[in-house]
Amino acid sequence: RAARARLARLTPAEAHEAAGVRGGLIVDIRSERQRDDQGLVPGARFVPRNVLEWRADPRCGHRDPALAVDGPLVLMCAQGYQSSLAAAVLQDLGVAGATDMIGGFEAWAAAALPVVAQGSTAPSNRAK
């Protein structure tokens, strides 16, 4: 609860809009197996949870420049729990726009937002 209280959490529809119009980025921190089983969000950047901090930390020499966005950096896990904790840690590191998606990938799919299979480029609006 403490981590979530610090975040401006986004619904899947808000995250979709933030990534498409507001200069934000959805960062998928689910495991490779979850991504294989559930599918992917088109345009989301995959960053394994175990390397997220040093990939997003603006002061780290091993940061991923693609994570330095003008809009929200929206973390997405499977159900929206792990992502809340991770987003709070990123805020502690100075990533002010870090937040997460309420309900994670499962809520995204339930909202019939675009999903593609791992290795596919064709979007689908059906939940997996």
Side-chain angles (χ1 to χ4, degrees):
R1 284 190 281 228
R4 286 182 171 172
R6 299 169 37 200
L7 305 174
R9 302 182 77 215
L10 302 178
T11 66
E14 291 168 334
H16 188 255
E17 188 262 337
V21 184
R22 294 179 29 213
L25 178 66
I26 296 172
V27 178
D28 190 343
I29 63 169
R30 293 175 299 147
S31 71
E32 192 68 31
R33 177 159 187 166
Q34 288 172 315
R35 293 163 40 84
D36 285 341
D37 290 348
Q38 298 173 328
L40 310 174
V41 170
R45 181 109 177 149
F46 174 56
V47 178
R49 176 63 190 95
N50 64 324
V51 299
L52 179 65
E53 286 84 359
W54 54 274
R55 290 294 191 199
D57 185 345
R59 298 166 304 216
C60 181
H62 298 287
R63 72 184 177 280
D64 180 348
L67 301 181
V69 295
D70 293 330
L73 191 65
V74 185
L75 303 185
M76 179 187 71
C77 65
Q79 296 177 328
Y81 296 103
Q82 185 179 40
S83 58
S84 295
L85 297 171
V89 169
L90 291 188
Q91 285 188 354
D92 290 343
L93 292 174
V95 183
T99 190
D100 79 322
M101 183 187 308
I102 299 167
F105 180 85
E106 291 179 11
W108 176 279
L113 290 164
V115 174
V116 296
Q118 182 88 288
S120 172
T121 58
S124 166
N125 282 18
R126 62 185 168 87
K128 296 197 117 278

